[in-house]
Amino acid sequence: MINSPTPEVVMNIFLDNRLESYAQFFDHELARKFKALTSGTKLDEAVGVLCGTWKAASNSMRLPWLAVKSIEKMALGAAIDTTSKQSFLEYLPTHLRHTLSIPDELGLEIEAEIRRAIEAYRIAERETRKTFNSQLVWDSLLNIKKDDGSLVAEFPMAVWGSQQIGFGATYHAYENFVRTVLEKLSSKPGYRIKYDGKVQKDIGTFLDKSISEQCIDDPKIKLAKEIRNSLAHQGGFVEVDPATPNQYHGFRVVNNIVQVDATNNRELFLLLQDRAYIFAEAALKRL
């Protein structure tokens, strides 16, 4: 839990402090399979938009992990840049031979020794293990302090916000994909999804009732829509059971505000990627 005071409001926010939780969301293998399924079909563009939007949302939510890994690559790259050292060692035999009056036979021995030293150096360089403490960098980013010792809240709040916003973006992309497919199936430009039973009826008409049950009425998808609506229209407010005030259908809650974390987003990605594929596969049989 991070208490984040601002001039206008005090927010109680929760974020997952495990760096590995932010490592991956988007499933590249499934995306390639998805593109292969729809390539050259009427759904090719729609799938491209969906995967592109999901990839952007995934990268936004991965920024904590990407930031630390970028720092690691830069740090290790600087730490192991030994080009100048190796160039000097290679230059040394020629320099000594031309600078000092060394008998040829002795010069050859010195050169051979230096060559052996160069090879030993290269072997040692290859075998030297370079390590980087990613967790230390991550912890430091989450706990940057001001001069007065108080927490600088901007980075933790950015991580928290990226997960809340990313959840909505992931769901929006899925809903727009379903809408686009139904637009093509119905031949009605500007088709709009209405959750009053119409979208389920249309899916049943153009595809099959079982597709609606999997892709619209699945309890997990309905919950995702509910959480998305709460984030968009109620600031994340949810009515909780007094007996379990800190959770709402598996989502963490703080003071009645739902807290979407990296694990929730990964689960949503896996769910919606699977259902979008099912939806496209069924639609292609009718297009």
Side-chain angles (χ1 to χ4, degrees):
M1 177 77 68
I2 295 179
N3 294 319
S4 304
T6 67
E8 298 83 16
V9 66
V10 175
M11 296 180 64
N12 290 316
I13 68 174
F14 169 85
L15 60 85
D16 188 338
N17 61 8
R18 298 169 300 175
L19 178 61
E20 63 272 16
S21 296
Y22 302 89
Q24 188 62 271
F25 296 91
F26 191 72
D27 186 334
H28 290 84
E29 183 177 349
L30 181 56
R32 287 190 288 270
K33 180 181 176 183
F34 207 172
K35 285 294 290 180
L37 173 70
T38 60
S39 180
T41 72
K42 293 182 179 181
L43 298 186
D44 196 3
E45 182 179 353
V47 168
V49 171
L50 175 66
C51 290
T53 304
W54 271 349
K55 180 61 177 174
S58 169
N59 284 344
S60 296
M61 291 183 289
R62 290 183 74 207
L63 275 177
W65 187 87
L66 290 171
V68 173
K69 290 302 173 182
S70 295
I71 293 172
E72 177 179 351
K73 288 185 180 297
M74 287 187 291
L76 290 180
I80 65 175
D81 183 5
T82 58
T83 305
S84 60
K85 296 177 184 178
Q86 292 191 30
S87 297
F88 172 73
L89 288 173
E90 291 170 358
Y91 162 78
L92 192 56
T94 303
H95 173 73
L96 290 175
R97 185 183 289 276
H98 287 129
T99 304
L100 303 176
S101 297
I102 302 175
D104 289 342
E105 62 277 6
L106 182 57
L108 290 173
E109 291 181 19
I110 292 174
E111 185 171 338
E113 286 300 321
I114 291 176
R115 295 296 177 191
R116 280 192 283 272
I118 291 173
E119 185 57 30
Y121 176 84
R122 287 174 175 165
I123 293 172
E125 183 60 36
R126 287 196 301 268
E127 294 179 351
T128 299
R129 183 173 180 179
K130 287 85 180 177
T131 60
F132 181 84
N133 193 332
S134 298
Q135 190 62 44
L136 180 61
V137 174
W138 171 240
D139 292 340
S140 298
L141 289 171
L142 290 179
N143 294 283
I144 298 173
K145 298 292 195 304
K146 299 178 183 177
D147 291 340
D148 62 6
S150 61
L151 180 71
V152 176
E154 278 74 6
F155 186 79
M157 288 190 72
V159 175
W160 175 81
S162 70
Q163 303 309 306
Q164 316 298 302
I165 295 167
F167 189 90
T170 303
Y171 182 82
H172 296 158
Y174 176 75
E175 186 173 73
N176 183 60
F177 176 71
V178 171
R179 184 203 66 76
T180 302
V181 174
L182 286 172
E183 182 179 70
K184 295 183 181 301
L185 287 167
S186 64
S187 299
K188 294 180 180 178
Y191 180 94
R192 294 182 63 186
I193 287 183
K194 296 182 179 179
Y195 292 104
D196 55 2
K198 183 178 184 302
V199 67
Q200 290 91 334
K201 181 180 178 181
D202 286 345
I203 292 174
T205 299
F206 297 118
L207 300 175
D208 187 84
K209 182 181 178 181
S210 65
I211 301 300
S212 177
E213 291 172 348
Q214 292 179 80
C215 302
I216 298 295
D217 291 329
D218 182 291
K220 292 181 179 179
I221 294 180
K222 294 176 76 171
L223 176 61
K225 178 168 71 71
E226 184 180 335
I227 296 298
R228 174 267 168 199
N229 290 344
S230 173
L231 293 170
H233 304 301
Q234 302 179 77
F237 179 85
V238 290
E239 290 282 0
V240 297
D241 184 338
T244 54
N246 297 322
Q247 70 91 23
Y248 182 78
H249 299 289
F251 284 78
R252 186 184 297 271
V253 174
V254 177
N255 294 338
N256 283 92
I257 302 299
V258 68
Q259 309 286 309
V260 177
D261 64 26
T263 300
N264 299 137
N265 279 318
R266 183 174 295 102
E267 290 174 350
L268 182 66
F269 254 110
L270 293 174
L271 173 67
L272 297 186
Q273 286 179 149
D274 175 67
R275 300 314 159 85
Y277 187 91
I278 290 173
F279 198 74
E281 195 173 36
L284 285 174
K285 295 177 182 178
R286 304 295 179 92
L287 288 172

